[in-house]
Amino acid sequence: MADHQPGLVEDALHTLGTTRPEMRETNRRWQAMSRSSRSRGALQRYRSVLGPPETDTARRIGDLTCRALTWPVPLWPDLRFEVLTAPGGAVWNEWLVRAPGAPGPVLRTAEDLEPWCCTVDEVARAFPPARPMEGSAPTRWRLGFAAPGPAGRPEQRIAEFTWGLLQRLVE
């Protein structure tokens, strides 16, 4: 997220009471754990780092019944980190979602789309029909959609997300 919003990341580090070197060390350990030849599966890594999930429920998506596991996120109490697993336990999606019962932002125009204010799902529901697009990395998504601009007319936009959280609109 620091690639897109370095100022917000600095604020988050302060809020969490951590330093940039501590953040880099945590990332280094996570990357080492993820790439280790003795690495556990992705779901086991999340469980070992985040602890037991807050929820573990079956979810039907089209023909597929998967498991949706969520963990609270200290920086964003209204969000949850969600991991979706296919039958057999393979992780196929990891991102931030709105916590059940937590109010999402009111999204009416492109001006309402501020960094870190909303999730992929919230933008897709606010501005249908949204088009999922490939992101620049596995944890990044892009979404194409039309939203009312300053003059009230629909304008084509592309939003970039990291871990499912809005980072920026691109022209």
Side-chain angles (χ1 to χ4, degrees), residues 43-164:
L43 183 56
Q44 288 306 324
R45 282 194 306 274
Y46 286 123
R47 285 180 181 272
S48 70
V49 171
L50 301 173
E54 179 179 71
T55 64
D56 182 346
T57 58
R59 182 176 306 160
R60 188 124 177 109
I61 300 175
D63 302 9
L64 178 69
T65 299
C66 64
R67 286 175 56 206
L69 297 90
T70 64
W71 287 266
V73 183
L75 187 59
W76 298 294
D78 287 350
L79 297 178
R80 296 294 180 266
F81 183 68
E82 178 182 74
V83 173
L84 299 175
T85 64
V91 170
W92 62 272
N93 197 30
E94 311 142 292
W95 60 0
L96 294 164
V97 297
R98 189 71 49 193
V106 176
L107 304 175
R108 292 188 189 107
T109 70
E111 281 76 41
D112 296 329
L113 298 172
E114 297 179 12
W116 293 14
C117 81
C118 55
T119 65
V120 172
D121 181 59
E122 291 166 338
V123 174
R125 283 187 283 119
F127 306 108
R131 299 175 319 281
M133 303 166 73
E134 189 171 339
S136 59
T139 60
R140 295 185 180 182
W141 294 266
R142 297 175 78 193
L143 197 64
F145 60 95
R153 290 187 301 276
E155 298 176 356
Q156 291 298 314
R157 304 304 297 256
I158 296 175
E160 291 186 334
F161 300 84
T162 300
W163 293 105

Side-chain angles (χ1 to χ4, degrees), residues 19-37:
T19 65
R20 209 167 257 290
E22 289 169 327
M23 178 185 72
R24 281 192 293 273
E25 176 58 19
T26 299
N27 184 59
R28 185 197 66 73
R29 286 187 316 219
W30 175 258
Q31 295 300 327
M33 187 186 326
S34 298
R35 290 171 170 68
S36 169
S37 60

